[in-house]
Amino acid sequence: MRAWRRASIVAWVTWMLASVFAPGVSVAVEPAQNWSDITRKARGQTVNFNAWAGDEKTNAFIAWVGEQIAKRFGVMVNHVKLRDTSEAVTRVVAEKAAGRDRDGTVDLVWINGPNFLALREEGLLFGPFAAMLPNYRYVDTTNVRSNLVDFTVPVDGYESPWRRAQIVFVYDGERVTEPPRSVPALLAWAKAHPGRTTHPNVRNFLGSTFLKQALYELVPDPEVLQRPPTDASFASVTAPLWAWYDALRPTLWRRGEQFPDNGPAQRQLMNDGEIDLMVSFNPAEAAVALSAGQLPDSVRTVVFDKGTIGNTSFVAIPYNAANKEGAMIVADFLLEPATQAHAQDFRQMGNITVLDLAKLTAAERAPFDALPRNPALPTSAELRRTLLEPHPTWMTRITAEWERRYTK
Amino acid sequence: MDDPHHGRVGAAVHEVTRARGGVLRLAPALTVAVFLLPIGAGLIGTALPAFGYLPAIGGRAFGIAPWRELFASPGIATAVRTTVVTGIAATLVSVALALGFCAVAHGRRWTRRIGGMLAPILATPHAAVAIGFAFVVAPSGWIARALSPWLTGWALPPDIATVGHASGWPLVLCLVAKETPYLILMIAGALHQVPAARHLGIARMLGYGVTEAWLKVILPQIYPQIRLPILAVLAFSLSVVDVALILGPSNPPTLAVLAVRWFGDADIANYFPGAAAACLLFAIVVGAMMAWVALEHAGEAVGRRWIARGTRSGAASIGARAAFAMTIALCAGSALAIVGMSIWSFAAQWRFPDALPGSLTLGNWSRLWASLAVPVATTLALALAATLIALLLVVCCLENESRTHRRAGDRALWILYVPLLVPQIAFLFGAQVLLVSTGLDGTFGAVVWAHLIFVLPYLFLSLADPWRALDPRYARSATSLGATPLELLLRIKLPLLMGPVLIACAVAFAVSVGQYLPTLFAGSGRVATLTTDAVTLSAGADRRVIGVYALLQAALPCCAYLLAVALPAWRMAHRRARWT
């Protein structure tokens, strides 16, 4: 008995000691409105940039961004490597729940779609801040609707664009002579080449986007996808999708019983020779990967004739971020023409820029003109037909329905 | 031991210590508090949301809604079945292989260095071995590459499932490869406690073969001592997350992975079914342990009859030989897994069906060098901090034990094993909720503490026996020459025990380096170590990059081991040189 009492006292002392490790409490200040004030305040801050870290090229780019920003603005960037962006959302929500309304641990988060909607709906984002960024004036707000509307949700300045993505298909030109150019053609190709294509797990955004892409071509009127579905409309609208998928699934890699976890895992399968055709969200994926030795030199890219889903990746600042000024410096740096050109270089990440090149001066455009070409890159004409992302609810419902149907 | 002066001197020492040993007497309680407290609080913190209570996210009413949701989720029955089957299969096979191996290997000259031989496999984190295994057994993996196309005729990898197979066999294989060496080491330790050589000699005179004799005479004597390690293996196999993520099925995954997936979901409402899944896993582990104990009774009855029948060399010997061969094969497999990933880390291109990469490069290392600095530094700092704190606590406990002459009994041993018997996921979520509410989550200190929970028991278990076995006459001589207890500890005991202390530290270091889930939860995903990065990358990055991480992950603990072995040897040589 005495031993127990002693143990409990010691336990309390241990708890108390632990609080020594607690971070010091500092007062969060509302960010200044003026850019030079922001730059001044940002100096010395360390920005916890929460970003999905499953891609080495993107990680290297973020590291490069960190070096540049440290040199130019005296702001440190700490890349918090996420397995899934939802981890950052969870953190912010947990902090809100725990009453930590200032000095939050997430300063900047790479985000879009459902995760943005989740934070926006709960009022957990700081903003509007995008228009305060000096480089925001270059953003293409006329031709690229996805820079303003994120999965049908108006951005309203609560997130700032930094890269664009569009669905393409990567194939091995040595083994695939006639790549499919439509959703029905994909099924025909898969039937003729069983086990040679797959898609990422449907819980992964690329996997669900694969299904949404199919849905786009299979529904009579794609406009319905811009509104959230009702129970009845979901069943009727997606019926052709499931019919198509039921036919496709047995022809997939591992008979559709296993799926790669995400895009990079799928790419590794292609590099290992396990598949010949794969979906990608980066039009430069083939060029990037072959230049990095991650795919054979024979890979090429194909885009569906009727257009493919395209979206924009953003960065957002949580409402309780401790280093909002530093986070804005990072967001602005990501929009700089030189940064955007660096990101678009297929030897780096190969992302399509979010800027309107017509808004740039000749000098600012020069690095874009100087970018190298590669036979694995699609032409800009091929990428012209961009389809808007459906409302986020379609994605969550398709994922749930897929799990209900195929997870036994 | 039965020295008549022992008691008197002991009492004298005790008198001397009493005045100054006050702090020391708190050591056992403090040590136990360090790990029991977070586990207990964490279990409660997980159990409450499982029944709907987590006010922070709006759960205020108790109910069974989370359980309904859990049992309604797609594939849950399969997930539970996979968990139970893989966990129990891995344990049964590991135990069988370890026993067979020891029965065959007993008394052979090379077994004296068995600890050193198994050290590299034991030290390598599970995640690194699993990552390597994935490459070795994949249809486009190393085995297939080595045999294609000349033997198999495969120009392309076959479309068959290995990694991620719904049955979970690659998961079982990897767990067996890691747990068998651990059990062998535990058996080797237990063998010191019984007069094995004498008993085996008698059995052999009665005409039994060595293997048969070991199984019939030695095993019944040592089993009580390896029982806790076996239960720890059972709990671990049922609840492992990193290995299951890398090698296990994914649609649906095992229950532990399912819980982690829910805890990491964007929709925080999923915390509730996640907590229910964690509690269900806890119940499964408890149930499996009870089943195991029941199995022991059955095994005892069968074993008695088997021994009484008196067969001199039967099927058991053949089975043991097969187990011996399989253990060697699995150890070779683990080594191959690490070698494979090491080669990947230097590969420029390595395509199916090439048995080896076409060209080698240092490019992967030089490209990653900069981004490796932080995780390597964090891994080292965490491991060193956890090891040193654990060492301090353990030495205080053991020193307290020898000063008070009260040895921790069987109950204390059970307490030590608690962190190894409770599934991590069942208390880590609850512990994280507590950490978040105190603002401690994601701090270095919180992660050190989380590591400490697992580092402490291992350090204690590896240091306790050598410490207790130290000849008490050294202490008596030193005391009679006027040494204070502190001098006795610092100048006599610690130098004499330097070897075991360093080995125990290396074990602790390796345990810390391998921690995945505790780092993830206590660090709130913000504290990146080699292991957390490697598991993140294993979900799908360039295999050359994963190779770099896996090799480093394996290299750090192995270096610690080498250092632990080399330092005392170097000191001895140095000392001899000075004396001659």
Side-chain angles (χ1 to χ4, degrees):
Chain A
M1 231 27 230
R2 247 184 67 209
W4 272 113
R5 206 169 55 218
R6 201 170 57 194
S8 72
I9 292 168
V10 174
W12 275 113
V13 173
T14 324
W15 267 124
M16 304 297 282
L17 277 176
S19 58
V20 173
F21 294 109
V25 180
S26 67
V27 182
V29 259
E30 278 314 299
Q33 296 297 309
N34 166 309
W35 191 251
S36 61
D37 280 353
I38 290 172
T39 319
R40 206 182 55 242
K41 279 197 177 162
R43 193 162 284 278
Q45 290 184 346
T46 296
V47 176
N48 285 308
F49 186 5
N50 285 239
W52 177 71
D55 180 55
E56 192 212 334
K57 288 275 173 186
T58 309
N59 295 350
F61 177 78
I62 292 175
W64 175 83
V65 167
E67 285 164 26
Q68 299 297 313
I69 290 181
K71 238 182 280 169
R72 282 183 35 199
F73 303 98
V75 175
M76 300 297 137
V77 175
N78 174 33
H79 180 186
V80 180
K81 295 183 173 174
L82 306 180
R83 259 181 88 93
D84 193 303
T85 303
S86 60
E87 291 167 21
V89 176
T90 309
R91 283 225 51 71
V92 178
V93 172
E95 287 177 358
K96 162 88 176 170
R100 194 193 281 185
D101 289 335
R102 42 182 59 188
D103 281 327
T105 56
V106 181
D107 293 318
L108 191 67
V109 55
W110 166 13
I111 201 169
N112 72 353
N115 289 313
F116 172 66
L117 183 68
L119 287 180
R120 187 82 179 90
E121 272 180 341
E122 301 287 324
L124 297 179
L125 288 177
F126 162 72
F129 74 94
M132 289 160 68
L133 310 175
N135 287 316
Y136 187 78
R137 65 199 146 113
Y138 300 127
V139 171
D140 192 336
T141 48
T142 45
N143 305 309
V144 184
R145 274 185 66 203
S146 64
N147 283 348
L148 295 173
V149 183
D150 186 2
F151 284 65
T152 74
V153 180
V155 169
D156 290 341
Y158 280 88
E159 50 180 1
S160 166
W162 73 286
R163 68 191 234 182
R164 274 170 62 202
Q166 188 172 343
I167 286 288
V168 295
F169 286 82
V170 174
Y171 63 99
D172 189 333
E174 221 164 63
R175 282 198 284 275
V176 183
T177 42
E178 281 294 310
R181 290 176 181 278
S182 72
V183 168
L186 175 66
L187 174 59
W189 186 90
K191 278 184 173 164
H193 305 89
R196 301 304 298 174
T197 189
T198 184
H199 60 79
N201 198 312
V202 172
R203 269 179 303 277
N204 177 267
F205 68 95
L206 187 53
S208 51
T209 310
F210 173 84
L211 293 180
K212 283 188 292 181
Q213 176 65 40
L215 183 61
Y216 241 109
E217 264 186 54
L218 296 169
V219 292
D221 175 22
E223 258 315 294
V224 296
L225 303 180
Q226 294 301 307
R227 295 181 298 275
T230 62
D231 286 347
S233 76
F234 182 79
S236 65
V237 168
T238 57
L241 171 68
W242 303 120
W244 174 83
Y245 191 75
D246 280 335
L248 178 75
R249 198 168 81 100
T251 71
L252 295 177
W253 177 78
R254 304 281 187 266
R255 285 159 296 284
E257 281 158 11
Q258 276 184 44
F259 297 91
D261 274 349
N262 49 40
Q266 185 188 237
R267 182 176 62 213
Q268 186 65 52
L269 288 181
M270 191 147 176
N271 197 28
D272 286 340
E274 298 213 9
I275 54 171
D276 292 330
L277 174 76
M278 65 175 204
V279 62
S280 169
F281 227 143
N282 182 358
E285 164 121 27
V288 171
L290 82 82
S291 74
Q294 292 172 331
L295 283 178
D297 293 339
S298 50
V299 289
R300 295 294 178 269
T301 306
V302 64
V303 190
F304 284 177
D305 291 335
K306 289 186 178 168
T308 51
I309 292 175
N311 72 32
T312 300
S313 285
F314 298 85
V315 287
I317 304 173
Y319 81 109
N320 63 348
N323 304 292
K324 294 193 176 80
E325 295 83 5
M328 285 163 81
I329 295 286
V330 179
D332 186 56
F333 177 80
L334 289 171
L335 287 175
E336 252 183 39
T339 312
Q340 287 282 311
H342 186 75
Q344 194 171 323
D345 187 337
F346 73 79
R347 294 165 300 183
Q348 307 302 327
M349 290 193 302
N351 284 124
I352 331 170
T353 181
V354 295
L355 305 185
D356 183 352
L357 296 189
K359 290 182 179 174
L360 305 185
T361 64
E364 286 165 337
R365 213 168 32 230
F368 286 96
D369 297 334
L371 288 176
R373 295 287 311 160
N374 186 290
L377 283 174
T379 64
S380 43
E382 283 177 297
L383 293 172
R384 196 163 299 139
R385 297 197 59 143
T386 314
L387 309 173
L388 274 181
E389 282 280 4
H391 189 274
T393 325
W394 287 96
M395 181 138 131
T396 41
R397 291 204 61 162
I398 285 176
T399 307
E401 179 65 16
W402 186 92
E403 289 200 320
R404 197 186 66 75
R405 284 170 177 258
Y406 305 109
T407 305
K408 297 288 176 201
Chain B
M1 266 309 145
D2 305 320
D3 185 343
H5 299 293
H6 182 248
R8 205 142 38 93
V9 178
V13 173
H14 190 52
E15 275 312 304
V16 176
T17 352
R18 224 168 48 174
R20 299 168 208 171
V23 185
L24 212 55
R25 291 220 312 252
L26 289 176
L30 184 71
T31 308
V32 166
V34 160
F35 60 82
L36 278 198
L37 213 69
I39 292 177
L43 281 176
I44 297 168
T46 309
L48 292 177
F51 289 94
Y53 187 79
L54 186 56
I57 59 167
R60 281 166 215 288
F62 281 95
I64 56 162
W67 293 90
R68 264 204 211 110
E69 207 178 321
L70 171 68
F71 290 119
S73 68
I76 183 71
T78 316
V80 169
R81 201 176 54 233
T82 320
T83 305
V84 172
V85 171
T86 55
I88 290 180
T91 311
L92 278 174
V93 178
S94 304
V95 171
L97 290 191
L99 292 178
F101 179 90
C102 291
V104 173
H106 190 90
R108 300 196 188 187
R109 192 175 291 267
W110 53 268
T111 54
R112 267 181 251 160
R113 288 192 305 275
I114 190 81
M117 287 188 272
L118 294 176
I121 299 177
L122 287 169
T124 308
H126 281 80
V129 176
I131 287 166
F133 251 85
F135 170 60
V136 171
V137 303
S140 56
W142 211 2
I143 295 175
R145 285 174 200 225
L147 304 179
S148 299
W150 58 274
L151 181 65
T152 59
W154 295 333
L156 289 174
D159 188 16
I160 49 171
T162 57
V163 175
H165 191 274
S167 70
W169 70 259
L171 168 62
V172 172
L173 195 69
C174 182
L175 285 174
V176 170
K178 274 293 284 176
E179 299 312 316
T180 307
Y182 166 71
L183 288 175
I184 290 174
L185 205 67
M186 292 295 119
I187 294 172
L191 281 173
H192 293 309
Q193 320 277 331
V194 296
R198 224 166 55 215
H199 288 181
L200 275 179
I202 297 167
R204 298 213 49 193
M205 277 194 287
L206 292 170
Y208 286 93
V210 180
T211 307
E212 200 86 20
W214 194 92
L215 290 171
K216 288 180 173 168
V217 181
I218 307 299
L219 174 59
Q221 298 185 63
I222 59 162
Y223 187 81
Q225 287 163 78
I226 56 167
R227 187 179 196 200
L228 271 173
I230 290 175
L231 291 180
V233 167
L234 181 64
F236 181 83
S237 304
L238 285 165
S239 60
V240 64
V241 169
D242 47 5
V243 182
L245 267 175
I246 296 163
L247 291 170
S250 65
N251 191 38
T254 61
L255 199 54
V257 174
L258 208 56
V260 171
R261 199 185 267 172
W262 270 319
F263 287 142
D265 202 279
D267 184 359
I268 51 168
N270 280 331
Y271 282 178
F272 295 109
C279 288
L280 178 60
L281 186 62
F282 183 67
I284 288 176
V285 169
V286 171
M289 284 186 194
M290 279 156 51
W292 187 269
V293 173
L295 199 72
E296 282 173 356
H297 286 295
E300 197 186 336
V302 175
R304 269 180 200 288
R305 242 178 302 156
W306 174 58
I307 293 167
R309 216 166 34 205
T311 319
R312 287 332 194 231
S313 69
S317 310
I318 301 164
R321 274 193 199 99
F324 181 81
M326 271 157 73
T327 307
I328 302 281
L330 276 173
C331 289
S334 301
L336 210 62
I338 297 301
V339 171
M341 292 323 285
S342 312
I343 297 178
W344 264 109
S345 76
F346 294 106
Q349 292 274 17
W350 189 1
R351 295 242 159 70
F352 189 87
D354 302 337
L356 285 170
S359 58
L360 298 176
T361 172
L362 284 173
N364 304 323
W365 285 89
S366 61
R367 209 172 56 243
L368 286 167
W369 202 244
S371 53
L372 283 169
V374 172
V376 168
T378 311
T379 307
L380 281 176
L382 285 171
L384 286 175
T387 303
L388 288 178
I389 296 173
L391 181 66
L392 187 72
L393 286 170
V394 168
V395 165
C396 287
C397 285
L398 290 171
E399 187 59 10
N400 180 59
E401 203 180 278
S402 51
R403 288 190 198 177
T404 57
H405 302 281
R406 263 193 316 210
R407 221 183 118 157
D410 271 355
R411 231 185 28 210
L413 200 63
W414 272 93
I415 292 177
L416 269 173
Y417 263 93
V418 164
L420 315 182
L421 296 177
V422 178
Q424 295 187 348
I425 190 71
F427 68 88
L428 281 173
F429 172 71
Q432 192 192 20
V433 170
L434 274 176
L435 285 171
V436 170
S437 60
T438 50
L440 286 169
D441 64 310
T443 58
F444 185 78
V447 183
V448 169
W449 196 347
H451 282 207
L452 209 50
I453 296 172
F454 302 95
V455 164
L456 252 176
Y458 279 107
L459 206 151
F460 192 94
L461 293 171
S462 33
L463 191 55
D465 283 340
W467 192 281
R468 287 166 183 161
L470 185 71
D471 195 330
R473 283 173 298 190
Y474 287 116
R476 263 174 263 150
S477 319
T479 311
S480 65
L481 290 170
T484 66
L486 189 66
E487 278 173 329
L488 172 63
L489 173 68
L490 295 180
R491 298 188 52 190
I492 309 291
K493 282 190 183 172
L494 282 177
L496 277 172
L497 288 165
M498 185 173 174
V501 165
L502 286 176
I503 292 287
C505 285
V507 171
F509 187 88
V511 169
S512 169
V513 170
Q515 293 303 320
Y516 171 66
L517 222 45
T519 317
L520 196 68
F521 275 82
S524 287
R526 293 197 303 283
V527 178
T529 64
L530 279 175
T531 296
T532 59
D533 274 359
V535 175
T536 303
L537 288 168
S538 72
D542 190 342
R543 207 176 279 122
R544 297 170 300 181
V545 176
I546 304 176
V548 168
Y549 277 85
L551 179 55
L552 266 180
Q553 236 193 326
L556 278 189
C558 287
C559 287
Y561 258 106
L562 279 181
L563 217 62
V565 175
L567 262 180
W570 174 82
R571 206 179 63 128
M572 277 300 268
H574 193 68
R575 207 170 250 190
R576 251 185 232 130
R578 220 174 36 188
W579 280 57
T580 47

